[in-house]
Amino acid sequence: METIWTSTCNITHRRPLMEDIETEVAVIGAGMAGILIAYLLQKEGKKVVVLEANEIGSGQTGKTTAKITSQHSLIYDEILKNKGVEYAIQYARANEKAIREYEKIIIEQGIQCDFRKCPSYIYSENVEVMKAEAEAARKAGLDATFTTETTLPFSVAGAVKIENQAQFHPLLFIKALAEAITIYENTKVYKVEEHKITTDNATVIAKHIVFACHYPFMRLSGMYFARMHQERSYVITLKNVPQLDGMYLGVGENGYSFRNYGDYLLFGGGKHRTGENKFGGSYERLREEAKKIFPESEEIYHWSAQDCMTSDNIPFIGRFSKGKPNWYIASGFQKWGMTSSMVSAMIIRDCICNIKNQNADVFSPNRFSMNDIGEGATTVGKGLKGVGKRILPFLDKQPKDRIPIKKVTRWCPHLGCPLEWNPEEKTWDCPCHGSRFDENGKLIDGPAKYGIEKK
Ligand code: FES
């Protein structure tokens, strides 16, 4: 699936790992998080290799809207209410440091990646909610204001504006950083045991292992399967559009995302839990909305993205679990992968280099909350609902003629949930944790490690 990023950047390919190696740090995943983690650790003198199942930046990094911002929908009011002001300050400070670190690297390395500083906005029809978020963001230390003035082509009841945020071309950025990093592409990790990683053709022995592979594929360790699900969302790139002064996000179920890239505009929305798109229509709804807002616009690209969602809306960054002191995780970025990738790189660098990080606690993967129980129960419910449909097929409302002739098994190889056919993208999607497979059963997205091809 071509995006505006993949069509404007070619990254030199690397060979797969074919021989057994030893290293100080092995990073699994060569997306934005994996590359940044490797880059910052190398700067500290660590010997690092990166293992990538497909190609550099071929996962969500090529599908992001590439907003680099501390403004993550309504997060500050939520953290303030649920965890207190100290955690809200940590969250804001970590993300602001991430933005400044991007800027510093881009200037130091002279990276041409269309980095542009601009404000970020969220908007809503609910003025009180916007005022509360602006106040919470200010308490967290951000330069946030409530406003009704935007450059959107429609009026809004209220918005929160945060100054000094940024946007860029994500693949041009990681292409430049990747040049100095040892990366093995088409090297799929099948097993991780303490310090040993087993890939298709070779093994890696590493003192430290970092899982920067989107959704961790380990089944039980850390219990991530019970604390995280995945969501899909859709983006169309338009031409003949106005220039906005910054990046925008509408708050709520039907909120839309806006950001310019050059003369174009990335217009996104239509989120839903993976495995819950059995009637399709997501792109059409987005296109209809785009025509209403930008009648002169013309579509040039469309694509979809997949995000890991935690039960408390805060990423999991840090030590993987209490029982695995030399494993680390960077996951659960919600829809804020660019800033969260840099936050991950800074926290994991500090963990491995024994540097105190004053922003790490709020992201600790070892936190558990009551929300985790709800997330786990929802996942079990999805699994049972699917089993019910298999036993009592009349419960399945999806038109049968849309489901392709079975070339695949319909049980997810991750933890056995029944898969749902997604007619829009012609994929089999798992509603439990978000694994996806093409119509022939080939694995597209994990946490599953294998496809579902019928033998
Ligand atoms: Fe976990 Fe399918 S992704 S059961």
Side-chain angles (χ1 to χ4, degrees), residues 412 414-417 419 430 432-435 447-448:
C412 180
H414 177 232
L415 288 174
C417 286
L419 300 167
C430 181
C432 287
H433 314 106
S435 292

Side-chain angles (χ1 to χ4, degrees), residues 69-350:
T69 177
S70 304
Q71 188 178 52
H72 300 168
S73 194
L74 299 175
I75 192 72
Y76 294 102
D77 196 40
E78 188 179 332
I79 299 181
L80 208 60
K81 283 182 180 142
N82 296 334
K83 296 176 189 273
V85 69
E86 173 51 30
Y87 276 1
I89 290 170
Q90 283 188 26
Y91 190 92
R93 194 168 54 202
N95 281 284
E96 284 294 294
K97 281 183 84 166
I99 300 169
R100 305 288 88 83
E101 187 70 13
Y102 269 115
E103 190 174 9
K104 185 170 145 228
I105 294 172
I106 288 164
I107 292 169
E108 271 176 10
Q109 302 293 320
I111 300 172
Q112 302 296 317
C113 59
D114 301 315
F115 180 82
R116 181 168 86 85
K117 282 166 93 170
C118 59
S120 175
Y121 297 80
I122 53 172
Y123 67 88
S124 163
E125 289 309 302
N126 191 328
V127 171
E128 291 316 310
V129 167
M130 291 294 99
K131 284 186 173 167
E133 181 63 13
E135 177 66 15
R138 267 198 305 279
K139 282 189 181 148
L142 295 171
D143 184 2
T145 46
F146 172 81
T147 182
T148 53
E149 302 292 317
T150 75
T151 52
L152 289 168
F154 51 84
S155 62
V156 302
V160 181
K161 177 182 186 184
I162 299 186
E163 303 285 356
N164 277 319
Q165 310 295 288
Q167 57 190 31
F168 69 161
H169 187 312
L171 294 184
L172 290 176
F173 176 78
I174 63 165
K175 176 184 175 167
L177 283 200
E179 276 167 19
I181 298 170
T182 303
I183 303 167
Y184 296 98
E185 290 187 325
N186 296 305
T187 298
K188 189 165 174 59
V189 172
Y190 284 101
K191 199 151 103 183
V192 184
E193 305 156 284
E194 303 304 332
H195 295 283
K196 183 180 171 191
I197 296 172
T198 305
T199 72
D200 316 62
N201 299 306
T203 59
V204 180
I205 303 295
K207 190 169 170 198
H208 304 280
I209 297 171
V210 183
F211 292 78
C213 47
H214 197 64
Y215 197 118
F217 52 83
M218 305 305 289
R219 284 191 174 160
L220 293 178
S221 192
M223 300 289 285
Y224 292 103
F225 71 91
R227 301 197 283 153
M228 215 164 36
H229 69 275
Q230 299 200 65
E231 282 188 6
R232 299 195 63 66
S233 54
Y234 302 83
V235 179
I236 54 178
T237 301
L238 305 169
K239 63 178 186 180
N240 304 333
V241 284
Q243 283 291 324
L244 306 175
D245 66 328
M247 310 170 285
Y248 286 85
L249 178 70
V251 168
E253 280 308 300
N254 297 318
Y256 294 102
S257 165
F258 306 77
R259 73 149 278 193
N260 289 106
Y261 176 65
D263 292 335
Y264 306 122
L265 182 97
L266 276 62
F267 178 63
K271 67 181 179 184
H272 61 80
R273 186 176 178 124
T274 303
E276 294 187 346
N277 190 32
K278 60 183 162 188
F279 297 107
S282 300
Y283 283 118
E284 282 321 304
R285 285 189 287 276
L286 202 54
R287 285 172 182 135
E288 280 167 21
E289 199 61 30
K291 272 290 163 206
K292 276 190 226 157
I293 301 173
F294 307 108
E296 306 296 315
S297 66
E298 225 177 284
E299 179 181 320
I300 53 169
Y301 295 105
H302 68 274
W303 69 85
S304 58
Q306 174 134 313
D307 295 294
C308 293
M309 313 301 287
T310 63
S311 64
D312 63 0
N313 298 323
I314 297 175
F316 292 130
I317 302 170
R319 288 191 199 278
F320 196 94
S321 67
K322 289 207 172 97
K324 303 286 181 193
N326 297 315
W327 292 8
Y328 308 85
I329 183 169
S331 187
F333 293 170
Q334 309 298 111
K335 300 189 184 286
W336 308 105
M338 298 299 97
T339 338
S340 300
S341 289
M342 186 65 90
V343 170
S344 303
M346 297 168 96
I347 290 175
I348 290 172
R349 171 201 60 195
D350 292 350

Side-chain angles (χ1 to χ4, degrees), residues 382-406:
K382 299 278 169 205
L384 291 176
K385 198 170 156 196
V387 172
K389 284 181 195 166
R390 297 295 298 277
I391 298 168
L392 305 166
F394 59 87
L395 292 176
D396 189 355
K397 301 278 187 295
Q398 188 168 13
K400 297 292 173 294
D401 57 350
R402 289 209 203 157
I403 300 180
I405 308 221
K406 288 183 196 153

